[in-house]
Amino acid sequence: MTGPTLVDRDRVSVWHPYTQMLTAPPPLPIVRGEGVYLYTEDGRRLLDGISSWWVNIHGHSHPRLNAALAAQARQLEHVMFAGCTHPPAVDLADRLLAVLPSGLTRVFYSDNGSTAVEVALKMACQYWGNRGEAARRSFVALHHAYHGDTVGAMSASEESIFTRPFASMLFTVHRAHAPYCYRCPLGLDRSTCAAECLGDLERLLTAHGDTLAGVLVEPMLQGAGGMIVWPAEFLAGVRRLCDAHGVLMIADEVLTGFGRTGRMFACEHAAVTPDIICLSKALTGGYLPLGATVTTEPVYEAFLSDDRLRTFFHGHSYTANPLACAVAIASLDLFHESGVLERVRQLEGWLRHGLAPLGGLSLVGEVRVIGGVGILELVTDKTTKTAAGYLDNIGPRLAAAFLERGLLLRPLGNILYLMPPYVVTESETAWAIDQIRDVLSGIRR
C-alpha cells in the first residue's frame, strides 16, 4: 500500500507564493532536475521554459556547480558577516567588480532580489543624509515597474494587484513614462520617434530634483510589469538626465543581469554605469538565494566617518553565505570557460526566427525578443490592442495546455514569454516554439 503523494502532503501544510490556495490546481511535484528538464514524482518530464522563475542559466544540477557547493560545504557552511569575512565572499566581490560596468567598486551582499533593491533605496537615502542633504528622500520609478515584494521594493513598483493590499504601508514615489513602444504613452511610432518619452523623466527631475535621492529603473527589460523591451537610447537618456540633475541612477538588474539580455549586464547596451546596481536571481546560477547591491566609491565614502551614526545599518543573518558565494564563483567560471554569452546570442537568433511568424496569429499583438527572452503580448483585438492584463484567464488556460505537452511556462496574464536556461539546444527551442504555436492556434476567446 502506497502512502500519500508529495502533493497530498503539500496540501496539508504548505502555503505557496502568488497562489490562490482555494482554487489553484495542484502544484507540480518536482523531484529531480537535469539540464533544461524537470522531472515529476509521477514520471513526467517538463522543459523548464521559465528558468525556474528566471534564476537558472546553466541548467539544473550542473556538475560544476554541484562540485563547488559540495567542496564549500566541507570547508565552511556559514558565518555571520558583521565583523567576519571569508574567502568566497571576497573572491566573488573581486570577480563581480571585474565584469560589472566600470566604476562600480563596492559590493554589499544580501539574500534576494527584493532585498538587493531595498538595500539600494536605503543606501541612496542615507547617502544624501550623510552628505548633509537630508531633504533628498524621494525617488523616481517608472510606470510598469516591478522591483520586488518588500515594502520599499513594492513602493517603487507600479501600483497593481501585487501591491494593492499593502497600499497603506507604502511610501509615494514619482512615476515617469516607461518606453513601452507597443503602447507608447505619447502615441508615437518607434520607427520615427526619438525617445520623447524621456521628457516625462526630465520634467520630474526638473520639478523635484532638490528632493530626489535616485531614479530606479529595470534597464532594457521590465519584467513582471509586462516584459517590456526598451530601446537603448532610453537607457542612455536616463543616465544623461541623472547626471544633469545630480541624482543617483539605480539599475535593478535582478532579472537582466548575467546574460539575460544578451550582454553580461543590461546597462552595457547603452554603455552606462549606474551609481548603484542590484543583482540576484542568476547570480548563483539558480542554486541558492544571494543578492548583491554594488555601488561606486563616492557613495561608499559618504558612509565613512568617526561618527558611528553614519554607519549603514542594514544586514541579514545569511549575508554573503559562503555556499551561495562559492556557487556564484563557479557560475562566473562557466561564463569565462564555456562561451555562455555566445550561446545566449544564438538563442536570441532562434527565438527571433521561431517567434516572428507567430505575430500573424489573431491573438498576438506583438512579438518581442531580447537576448534569451522571447515574448508574445496577447490581445483580444489587434486593432485596438485591447488586453485584459495580469488577471486575464488566458494565462492559466495556456499554462495548463503547455503542461499537458511537457512545457513549463507561467504567463503573466496576457504576456506569454519563453525564457529557458542558456543550455537549451536549437531543437529544444524549436520544439518549445512549436508547442506555443500549436496551443495559441487552437485558443478560442
Side-chain angles (χ1 to χ4, degrees):
M1 180 177 179
T2 59
T5 67
L6 185 60
V7 170
D8 293 335
R9 295 167 54 210
D10 177 284
R11 284 301 203 195
V12 172
S13 57
V14 178
W15 191 348
H16 288 266
Y18 290 99
T19 301
Q20 176 43 258
M21 298 298 292
L22 182 64
T23 58
L28 290 171
I30 304 299
V31 295
R32 186 169 69 87
E34 183 177 358
V36 296
Y37 294 102
L38 296 166
Y39 296 84
T40 66
E41 184 181 49
D42 52 2
R44 288 174 288 167
R45 186 181 79 162
L46 307 173
L47 192 149
D48 185 356
I50 56 170
S51 297
S52 290
W53 244 350
W54 318 347
V55 301
N56 191 289
I57 52 178
H58 305 300
H60 295 279
S61 195
H62 194 287
R64 285 286 297 277
L65 303 186
N66 291 350
L69 178 59
Q72 183 58 45
R74 289 191 291 269
Q75 290 291 120
L76 175 67
E77 81 300 339
H78 187 64
V79 66
M80 67 175 181
F81 209 59
C84 297
T85 191
H86 51 77
V90 177
D91 292 345
L92 177 57
D94 289 344
R95 295 288 299 276
L96 286 173
L97 295 177
V99 296
L100 280 162
S102 176
L104 294 165
T105 63
R106 298 285 173 168
V107 179
F108 190 98
Y109 291 112
S110 59
D111 40 23
N112 60 58
S114 295
T115 56
V117 171
E118 204 82 12
V119 166
L121 295 172
K122 291 174 67 175
M123 186 180 287
C125 185
Q126 189 176 345
Y127 163 78
W128 291 110
N130 285 358
R131 283 169 48 100
E133 298 183 60
R136 289 183 174 267
R137 302 185 61 84
S138 59
F139 293 87
V140 176
L142 302 186
H143 286 294
H144 311 288
Y146 174 81
H147 295 288
D149 290 341
T150 53
V151 171
M154 283 194 298
S155 299
S157 302
E158 179 81 277
E159 189 274 335
S160 69
I161 62 170
F162 303 134
T163 65
R164 209 163 292 148
F166 318 106
S168 64
M169 301 170 62
L170 308 183
F171 58 79
T172 300
V173 303
H174 303 286
R175 193 75 57 187
H177 288 325
Y180 194 171
C181 297
Y182 179 61
R183 302 179 182 278
C184 177
L186 302 179
L188 304 177
D189 187 273
R190 177 63 197 131
S191 63
T192 57
C193 82
E196 283 91 344
C197 50
L198 275 166
D200 201 37
L201 175 60
E202 184 170 24
R203 175 185 62 81
L204 289 170
L205 290 170
T206 300
H208 304 287
D210 291 343
T211 63
L212 292 176
V215 175
L216 174 61
V217 299
E218 301 161 84
M220 297 305 295
L221 176 64
Q222 289 182 266
M227 292 292 170
I228 300 164
V229 178
W230 290 10
E233 296 92 326
F234 187 90
L235 178 58
V238 173
R239 177 71 275 182
R240 173 176 53 79
L241 289 172
C242 286
D243 287 340
H245 292 268
V247 175
L248 296 178
M249 176 184 173
I250 306 170
D252 175 356
E253 292 228 29
V254 169
L255 163 60
T256 57
F258 306 100
R260 281 291 178 204
T261 67
R263 306 289 180 91
M264 193 65 170
F265 300 99
C267 284
E268 295 174 24
H269 286 275
V272 301
T273 298
D275 299 290
I276 303 174
I277 193 169
C278 308
L279 308 172
S280 189
K281 288 199 182 291
L283 174 55
T284 66
Y287 267 60
L288 288 165
L290 182 66
T293 304
V294 189
T295 190
T296 62
E297 204 67 10
V299 172
Y300 169 75
E301 288 177 348
F303 292 81
L304 303 181
S305 174
D306 292 329
D307 181 358
R308 292 180 63 191
L309 289 176
R310 294 194 179 188
T311 302
F312 187 47
F313 290 109
H314 188 100
H316 302 269
S317 299
Y318 282 92
T319 294
N321 174 255
L323 301 174
C325 290
V327 177
I329 292 167
S331 175
L332 291 176
D333 286 340
L334 289 174
F335 272 94
H336 178 70
E337 300 167 8
S338 304
V340 171
L341 290 178
E342 177 55 34
R343 287 211 307 274
V344 178
R345 285 187 278 271
Q346 288 180 330
L347 174 57
E348 182 174 31
W350 304 337
L351 291 170
R352 290 188 185 280
H353 174 76
L355 292 175
L358 276 59
L361 296 175
S362 61
L363 75 169
V364 176
E366 186 179 50
V367 178
R368 303 189 281 269
V369 176
I370 184 170
V373 189
I375 304 136
L376 303 176
E377 180 158 348
L378 308 181
V379 296
T380 55
D381 186 308
K382 294 186 80 157
T383 302
T384 62
K385 303 180 182 178
T386 304
Y390 184 83
L391 291 181
D392 191 335
N393 66 8
I394 196 173
R397 290 167 59 199
L398 289 175
F402 293 131
L403 275 180
E404 289 180 3
R405 293 166 172 261
L407 176 60
L408 176 60
L409 296 178
R410 187 181 171 92
L412 295 161
N414 68 303
I415 305 297
L416 175 62
Y417 66 94
L418 176 62
M419 189 191 302
Y422 305 156
V423 293
V424 70
T425 65
E426 183 175 8
S427 62
E428 289 165 337
T429 304
W431 175 86
I433 293 172
D434 285 346
Q435 309 317 303
I436 293 172
R437 182 199 62 232
D438 292 349
V439 169
L440 292 183
S441 297
I443 286 288
R444 295 291 180 267
R445 281 289 196 169

